[in-house]
Amino acid sequence: NAGVTQTPKFRVLKTGQSMTLLCAQDMNHEYMYWYRQDPGMGLRLIHYSVGEGTTAKGEVPDGYNVSRLKKQNFLLGLESAAPSQTSVYFCASKLDGETQYFGPGTRLLVL
Amino acid sequence: SQQGEEDPQALSIQEGENATMNCSYKTSINNLQWYRQNSGRGLVHLILIRSNEREKHSGRLRVTLDTSKKSSSLLITASRAADTASYFCATIPTNAGGTSYGKLTFGQGTILTVHP
């Protein structure tokens, strides 16, 4: 049971490039979330999903898209990366309780 | 916008001492959770306290909640060097007429350093 995994661990992009971050969970969780964490700030919710095939916007969705084609995977896409998207990205999942289980994070640097 | 404000931003203590961190929030909540983040790692859930609870214990952790003041505190007793981490409070706001879908709103965190 690997829990929540994220790939890649670290990535450097140039402004305007695109990429997809993958989050996978093997706990059969319904809910999945993408957050970003910036220095001096807590985590902010980007997008979330309440089940396979569903997605919804969080607090800071602009510049990101998501997809949940399979229950175990939640993808976060950046179509045209900007320096303001330099951050650490965390994925989390939960079943029907309140506790969220977090992945180890992806560090993204946009030059 | 951040729901929670944490105080202090950083705390440095010696092993064996107690560490107290505070969290204030703005809106009515269903529950408040505390998470821990070791450097370079993801967050780990520590404890959850519901809006109708005033105090909760888990091992060396004690959490209090004062809904009238919209504040919570996390006490770590007999701290250890391994407790060095960032600690975040997170809330699920009350959402009349709908569901929150478990969306958490995080505070800015307290960086705790415990010196051996």
Side-chain angles (χ1 to χ4, degrees):
Chain A
N1 189 328
V4 180
T5 58
Q6 294 182 232
T7 52
K9 289 184 171 54
F10 177 68
R11 183 77 182 267
V12 179
L13 288 179
K14 294 181 180 177
T15 296
Q17 288 185 319
S18 63
M19 78 163 294
T20 300
L21 284 68
L22 170 64
C23 176
Q25 52 91 7
D26 60 1
M27 298 175 283
N28 201 35
H29 285 177
E30 290 292 336
Y31 299 80
M32 296 186 76
Y33 308 85
W34 273 109
Y35 297 90
R36 61 177 288 173
Q37 183 178 34
D38 301 295
M41 302 184 74
L43 278 70
R44 293 181 292 168
L45 182 65
I46 305 171
H47 285 280
Y48 65 100
S49 168
V50 301
E52 180 178 319
T54 74
T55 64
K57 294 180 180 179
E59 181 186 357
V60 289
D62 293 342
Y64 305 96
N65 56 75
V66 288
S67 64
R68 183 104 181 262
L69 299 179
K70 294 183 178 180
K71 187 177 183 179
Q72 63 267 34
N73 296 336
F74 194 27
L75 279 65
L76 178 70
L78 285 74
E79 289 187 349
S80 180
S84 61
Q85 294 178 302
T86 292
S87 188
V88 182
Y89 292 85
F90 288 98
C91 175
S93 71
K94 78 176 187 76
L95 193 54
D96 51 6
E98 286 99 344
T99 300
Q100 293 188 16
Y101 297 84
F102 283 80
T106 294
R107 291 185 176 273
L108 176 65
L109 174 61
V110 182
L111 301 175
Chain B
S1 62
Q2 296 294 302
Q3 161 81 314
E5 295 285 337
E6 297 188 59
D7 170 56
Q9 290 187 352
L11 180 60
S12 182
I13 60 174
Q14 295 296 127
E15 223 170 15
E17 294 179 340
N18 295 341
T20 300
M21 290 160 269
N22 303 296
C23 168
S24 61
Y25 55 91
K26 298 174 185 174
T27 63
S28 297
I29 60 171
N30 282 327
N31 66 67
L32 185 144
Q33 305 177 40
W34 286 90
Y35 284 80
R36 165 191 168 133
Q37 183 181 33
N38 287 78
S39 181
R41 301 289 189 91
L43 278 72
V44 175
H45 180 263
L46 293 176
I47 193 167
L48 179 152
I49 187 165
R50 300 190 184 282
S51 59
N52 61 354
E53 297 176 309
R54 292 294 168 260
E55 187 170 310
K56 202 163 183 180
H57 296 255
S58 177
R60 293 184 296 113
L61 305 180
R62 182 175 78 106
V63 171
T64 62
L65 180 64
D66 187 335
T67 53
S68 67
K69 294 181 180 178
K70 291 187 169 59
S71 68
S72 173
S73 67
L74 171 67
L75 168 67
I76 304 174
T77 60
S79 64
R80 305 166 183 167
D83 294 328
T84 294
S86 294
Y87 293 82
F88 294 90
C89 66
T91 56
I92 295 183
T94 302
N95 188 1
T99 179
S100 67
Y101 299 114
K103 292 181 290 180
L104 291 172
T105 302
F106 284 85
Q108 297 167 324
T110 293
I111 300 171
L112 173 65
T113 303
V114 182
H115 299 281

